[in-house]
Amino acid sequence: MEIDTTPTQPLPPSSLSLSLPPRPDRRLANQLRPPLCELGPLNRADGSARFAHGRTSVLAAVYGPGAPRFSRKERIEGAAIEVTIHPHKGAGTSSDKEKEGVVKALLEAAILLDRFPRTMIHVICQVCEDDGGLLACLMNASVLAVINAGIDMKYVPLAVSMVFASPPSSAVGAPSSTPLPSTSTTYLLLDPLQEEETQSTAIVTVAISSVDTNVLSYQSMGMMMPVQLFEAIDVAKSATKALLTFMRMTIEEHSRQTLKLR
């Protein structure tokens, strides 16, 4: 299922998004790429989902809750979570291991683990393509696969990625009355392309709760000021509202299709 998203609420004036030239894919600074989601694409998994933002795509599968293969991984008080990420090309790197830890921590906080004692929930993510915003895509794909597996959660985590970048020396096509940003100013781009990540000064991925819009986690790389982080969190809260609407539509449509097949 695919849906076009409208731009989220305008960014704060400090981002100077209106004076910037168009992005490579013609989006506004505060606009998500149209997401795409498919629930249950894998027959042999207990739950699965394919999630994509633009060309960035992840296929996630959930196995369990079930008996762990090794007794040392068994937890009496609740289910144990294991996350494995397979990169698009080549062998896994230390960066992939870090992403596994981030996704694992997010799922451990969201899933009602005490309902599944002495079991293991294994989440496997295959990166189909990476064109920016990969960590957020991994999070969203994993969460949707857990939902498809029928595993109870306290809330639905939703994640978006952003970058801070230095503006060009001149903004092509900007109105003459619009002051151009100085080279010392940075601006915020939502749901970045890989090209934009490469040129950025900082990359931020924020996960928001669907229940109370609280920040569940944030991961950052690069240099930024505290005020910039707060700006990124505000934008993430707005953007995840559009994602939550999209996910609800996807789940409802999948439920209708499943009922028709019965």
Side-chain angles (χ1 to χ4, degrees), residues 153-168:
M153 292 194 293
K154 307 168 193 172
Y155 46 75
V156 177
L158 305 133
V160 292
S161 292
M162 294 154 282
V163 296
F164 285 96
S166 298

Side-chain angles (χ1 to χ4, degrees), residues 19-79:
S19 63
L20 296 172
R23 299 170 70 176
D25 56 359
R26 314 301 295 179
R27 281 182 296 140
L28 300 177
N30 58 347
Q31 191 172 19
L32 291 167
R33 287 173 286 183
L36 184 145
C37 178
E38 180 185 3
L39 291 179
L42 302 176
N43 294 327
R44 296 187 178 182
D46 294 303
S48 60
R50 187 191 306 274
F51 189 85
H53 269 306
R55 292 196 303 172
T56 301
S57 177
V58 173
L59 177 63
V62 172
Y63 297 91
R69 295 178 59 186
F70 304 102
S71 58
R72 67 176 181 273
K73 294 186 177 181
E74 185 177 282
R75 297 174 63 247
I76 299 176
E77 64 273 18

Side-chain angles (χ1 to χ4, degrees), residues 69-186:
R69 295 178 59 186
F70 304 102
S71 58
R72 67 176 181 273
K73 294 186 177 181
E74 185 177 282
R75 297 174 63 247
I76 299 176
E77 64 273 18
I81 304 291
E82 186 172 321
V83 176
T84 304
I85 295 175
H86 297 297
H88 176 47
K89 296 179 181 177
T93 63
S94 58
S95 177
D96 295 317
K97 290 296 181 183
E98 291 176 5
K99 291 183 178 67
E100 289 175 356
V102 171
V103 175
K104 177 182 177 180
L106 187 74
L107 295 178
E108 284 179 335
I111 295 174
L112 292 166
L113 299 177
D114 57 352
R115 295 191 179 181
F116 313 100
R118 298 181 180 273
T119 64
M120 169 71 71
I121 300 173
H122 192 186
V123 181
I124 301 177
C125 296
Q126 173 63 57
V127 179
C128 302
E129 190 167 357
D130 179 10
D131 189 28
L134 179 59
L135 180 56
C137 203
L138 287 164
M139 290 179 173
N140 293 328
S142 300
V143 167
L144 283 168
V146 168
I147 292 174
N148 185 243
I151 298 173
D152 296 330
M153 292 194 293
K154 307 168 193 172
Y155 46 75
V156 177
L158 305 133
V160 292
S161 292
M162 294 154 282
V163 296
F164 285 96
S166 298
S169 57
S170 63
V172 180
S176 58
S177 60
T178 303
L180 299 181
S182 66
T183 55
S184 62
T185 305
T186 59

Side-chain angles (χ1 to χ4, degrees), residues 160-225:
V160 292
S161 292
M162 294 154 282
V163 296
F164 285 96
S166 298
S169 57
S170 63
V172 180
S176 58
S177 60
T178 303
L180 299 181
S182 66
T183 55
S184 62
T185 305
T186 59
Y187 58 91
L188 183 62
L189 295 178
L190 179 64
D191 190 16
L193 301 171
Q194 194 170 59
E195 174 185 348
E196 293 170 330
E197 288 185 342
T198 303
Q199 299 171 355
S200 68
T201 58
I203 303 173
V204 187
T205 300
V206 181
I208 302 293
S209 167
S210 63
V211 174
D212 49 19
T213 68
N214 283 340
V215 176
L216 302 174
S217 73
Y218 76 88
Q219 307 296 318
S220 63
M221 181 175 65
M223 300 291 293
M224 61 180 170
M225 301 292 290

